[in-house]
Amino acid sequence: MAQKDGTTGSERIIGLSKSDAADRVADADESRDPDAVRAVLSHVTEDGAVTVDGVDSAVTDTSMILSTAETRVELASIDLDDAREAAGDDAAVGAVRSRLDVFEAKVANANDRVESLGEELQGLSDWRDDPRSVYDIVLGLREVASESQALTAHADDIQLDIEEFERWLSNHDVRVRGLDGDVAALEQSLDGLEDRVEAVVDAEGSADAEDAEDADRATEWCNAALRVRVSALLVEDVRAELADLRELAPESDADTDGLDDAAAALDDLDARVQRLRERLDELARPPWADEYGARIESFEETLAAFEPPVSWGAVQAELDDARVGDAE
C-alpha cells in the first residue's frame, strides 16, 4: 500500500532526501515546525534519504527501548513482592501498609503503561499496511520510545524507593530519623503559618482597612484558617506514625528516647496549632465570618473524612479547591 505524507494525498517521502522529505511534510501541515520534522526524520534516514530499512530499524530500536522498560517494571514488581515478604505480619501496621499500598499502585500503573505502549508499538510495527503517513508512523515511534524511556526511569525510581522502604522497615534508627524529619517539616510549616497570621495582625487598623486592604485581610484570614485545620490533621497523622513506630520497635531495643522526644515535640506543635486557631478566631470580623465561615466549615468537614495514614496529595487538592484567590 502506498504511503501518504500527511495531508497531501498519495505523495510519498520514502526515497526522498531528508531535506526534501521534511519540506514536503512541513508543507502539508503549516503547524509543523520544519526543524522538528527534520529531527524526527533523521531517525529513519540512511545515506541522506528516508528509507524503508530506516523505518524498520526505527521499529526495532523502539522495540528494544520498550523491552528495557518492561524489564525494569518487572524488576520493580519482583522487588515489591520481596518487600511484602519482608514486611510479614508488620504489613498490618498502618505505616507499613500505607507504604506498600503506594508501591502497589505505582507498580500497577507502570504495568498498565507497559501494556499500553506495547499495544501502540504493535500497531506501528505493521506500518506498511497502516493508512497513516510515514511521518506519523515515525512520530508515533518516537513518542513510544520517549515514553518507554521515561517509564524505565520511573521504574528505577520505584525500585530505589522500595529499597529505601526495606531499610526503613529493618532499622529502628532509620524510622526514627524519618519521623524526626516529619516533625521538622511540620514545625517549618507552622512557622510559615504564623507569619501569615501575623500579616493579618499587622494590617489591622490601617487607614484603608475598611476598603481594599480589608478585603485582602479577609482573604488572608480565610486561607490561614484553612491551613491551620490542615496543620491539625498533620499533627494527627504524625502522631499515628509515631504510634506505629512504637509498635514496630524491637522489644530488645530499650532506647526509645528518640520516639519520646518526637512525642514531646508533637505535643508542643499541637499546642501551637491550637493557639494559632484561637488567634484567628479572635481576629475574625463579622463580615469575614459571614463571607467565608461556610467555606471553612465545609473544608473542616471534608478533612474529617481523612484518617491516618493520610493521602496528602488528596488533602492538598482539597485545600487548593477551598482556598481563596491565588494564595499558596
Side-chain angles (χ1 to χ4, degrees):
M1 177 181 293
Q3 288 290 321
K4 300 177 181 179
D5 71 346
T7 60
T8 60
S10 61
E11 294 170 341
R12 294 164 54 88
I13 62 172
I14 294 293
L16 295 181
S17 68
K18 181 175 73 173
S19 179
D20 289 344
D23 289 343
R24 182 169 293 180
V25 171
D27 289 344
D29 186 343
E30 293 182 355
S31 67
R32 292 169 175 160
D33 177 66
D35 289 337
V37 171
R38 279 190 286 273
V40 170
L41 292 180
S42 66
H43 294 280
V44 292
T45 299
E46 295 181 341
D47 297 327
V50 177
T51 67
V52 169
D53 288 344
V55 180
D56 286 339
S57 294
V59 170
T60 300
D61 292 344
T62 304
S63 179
M64 293 177 63
I65 293 171
L66 177 57
S67 178
T68 298
E70 291 171 339
T71 299
R72 300 299 174 79
V73 171
E74 183 178 356
L75 290 173
S77 298
I78 293 172
D79 284 354
L80 176 56
D81 289 339
D82 291 343
R84 289 195 196 99
E85 183 176 351
D89 293 340
D90 287 337
V93 178
V96 178
R97 181 68 259 166
S98 63
R99 286 165 168 82
L100 287 173
D101 286 345
V102 169
F103 296 139
E104 287 169 0
K106 288 182 176 180
V107 170
N109 177 262
N111 276 308
D112 288 344
R113 288 172 64 187
V114 161
E115 184 176 349
S116 177
L117 289 170
E119 292 173 354
E120 189 172 350
L121 177 58
Q122 181 59 46
L124 294 166
S125 298
D126 299 327
W127 65 274
R128 288 176 177 79
D129 296 323
D130 197 300
R132 288 173 289 182
S133 69
V134 169
Y135 177 75
D136 285 337
I137 292 294
V138 179
L139 187 61
L141 290 170
R142 296 310 305 157
E143 290 172 351
V144 170
S146 178
E147 291 183 26
S148 297
Q149 289 169 331
L151 182 54
T152 295
H154 179 58
D156 288 344
D157 288 340
I158 294 173
Q159 286 186 266
L160 291 174
D161 289 342
I162 292 175
E163 290 174 7
E164 181 63 29
F165 164 72
E166 290 183 315
R167 284 193 290 273
W168 174 90
L169 184 65
S170 64
N171 191 304
H172 175 73
D173 290 339
V174 170
R175 294 194 295 271
V176 172
R177 285 197 295 271
L179 181 67
D180 288 343
D182 291 341
V183 171
L186 179 53
E187 183 175 11
Q188 184 176 13
S189 176
L190 286 179
D191 289 344
L193 181 55
E194 285 185 339
D195 291 341
R196 292 291 184 97
V197 174
E198 288 305 312
V200 178
V201 174
D202 292 343
E204 189 172 14
S206 63
D208 298 326
E210 299 300 326
D211 300 315
E213 288 189 16
D214 188 63
D216 291 341
R217 287 185 66 219
T219 296
E220 190 73 27
W221 172 82
C222 175
N223 288 325
L226 297 174
R227 284 188 57 186
V228 80
R229 284 155 174 81
V230 171
S231 296
L233 183 59
L234 267 168
V235 172
E236 181 184 350
D237 192 45
V238 178
R239 280 194 189 282
E241 177 87 358
L242 170 62
D244 288 342
L245 297 198
R246 288 195 187 282
E247 186 173 351
L248 292 171
E251 295 180 1
S252 59
D253 192 340
D255 182 11
T256 59
D257 290 346
L259 296 180
D260 292 339
D261 290 345
L266 284 171
D267 288 341
D268 292 341
L269 293 174
D270 192 21
R272 284 180 65 185
V273 171
Q274 296 308 313
R275 287 195 298 271
L276 285 170
R277 180 163 180 167
E278 291 169 2
R279 184 61 173 138
L280 287 167
D281 289 343
E282 294 170 358
L283 290 170
R285 293 184 174 187
W288 300 356
D290 290 343
E291 184 173 2
Y292 296 121
R295 178 191 295 259
I296 294 170
E297 289 179 7
S298 176
F299 183 65
E300 195 165 22
E301 292 174 358
T302 298
L303 291 186
F306 288 90
E307 295 182 357
V310 174
S311 171
W312 286 105
V315 171
Q316 184 62 51
E318 294 290 350
L319 177 61
D320 291 342
D321 287 341
R323 65 188 182 184
V324 184
D326 298 327
E328 295 182 357

